Amino acid sequence: MIKIVAKAQVKADMVEAYKAAAKELVEKSREEEGNVFYALNVSTADPCCLTFIESWKDQAAIDFHNATEHFTRIIPQLNAMCEGAQQVDFYTEVEY
Amino acid sequence: MIKIVAKAQVKADMVEAYKAAAKELVEKSREEEGNVFYALNVSTADPCCLTFIESWKDQAAIDFHNATEHFTRIIPQLNAMCEGAQQVDFYTEVEY
């Protein structure tokens, strides 16, 4: 299982627009066969820090996701509302 | 839904011991009624960066978790294996 934590600092006047633009991305990503969970989250410490927390079955699922129409169309719209680049961390789950 | 991303920089010679000590914490936390998901994850960029990614039903579930015997016993053991303090981010999920 692969996790992604993608943290963005959204421009203060763009936070509601960011959440609205992310809605379709969240919904369509959850429908992908390789998705385990996918959500947008707001930092309790900073309402302009918006973070996608995602889980995918394997790298093939992420490769498929990154090539989808909804990803390639909506992600640039979201990035345009941010201060600087997203900080994206990739993880593999420790299986016990 | 509340998410927690708790990132630790583990001492290089302690990584396997950290994973082993976390096993019981992961298993018992998943059994808590208020837990949605709970996993330890290894950064793909840095094998010494170990991060708990968690989801809880509400703040009451987190308060309960923080007072459990497994949390109060095992977390100090884990922290002793780290370089500095964990970086802990709290989030609320954007509900659409």
Side-chain angles (χ1 to χ4, degrees), chain B residues 6-19 21-22 25 40-41 46-52 74-88:
Chain B
K7 186 188 284 196
Q9 194 66 30
V10 180
K11 293 172 185 166
D13 61 346
M14 292 296 211
V15 168
E16 292 311 312
Y18 190 99
K19 291 178 189 172
L25 180 62
L40 180 63
N41 306 272
D46 177 359
C48 296
C49 173
L50 273 79
T51 297
F52 288 96
I74 298 171
I75 288 288
Q77 296 172 9
L78 297 178
N79 288 345
M81 301 184 209
C82 294
E83 311 274 9
Q86 272 189 329
Q87 177 196 322
V88 186

Side-chain angles (χ1 to χ4, degrees), chain A residues 29-78:
Chain A
S29 298
R30 286 175 175 168
E31 289 171 3
E32 290 179 47
E33 190 275 337
N35 182 253
V36 181
F37 59 76
Y38 193 102
L40 180 64
N41 306 273
V42 182
S43 166
T44 59
D46 176 359
C48 297
C49 174
L50 272 79
T51 297
F52 289 95
I53 300 177
E54 316 170 19
S55 182
W56 300 89
K57 285 184 184 167
D58 52 28
Q59 186 59 48
I62 295 172
D63 294 342
F64 180 90
H65 173 64
N66 289 346
T68 58
E69 190 278 335
H70 50 273
F71 182 92
T72 57
R73 172 171 47 87
I74 298 170
I75 289 288
Q77 295 172 9
L78 297 178

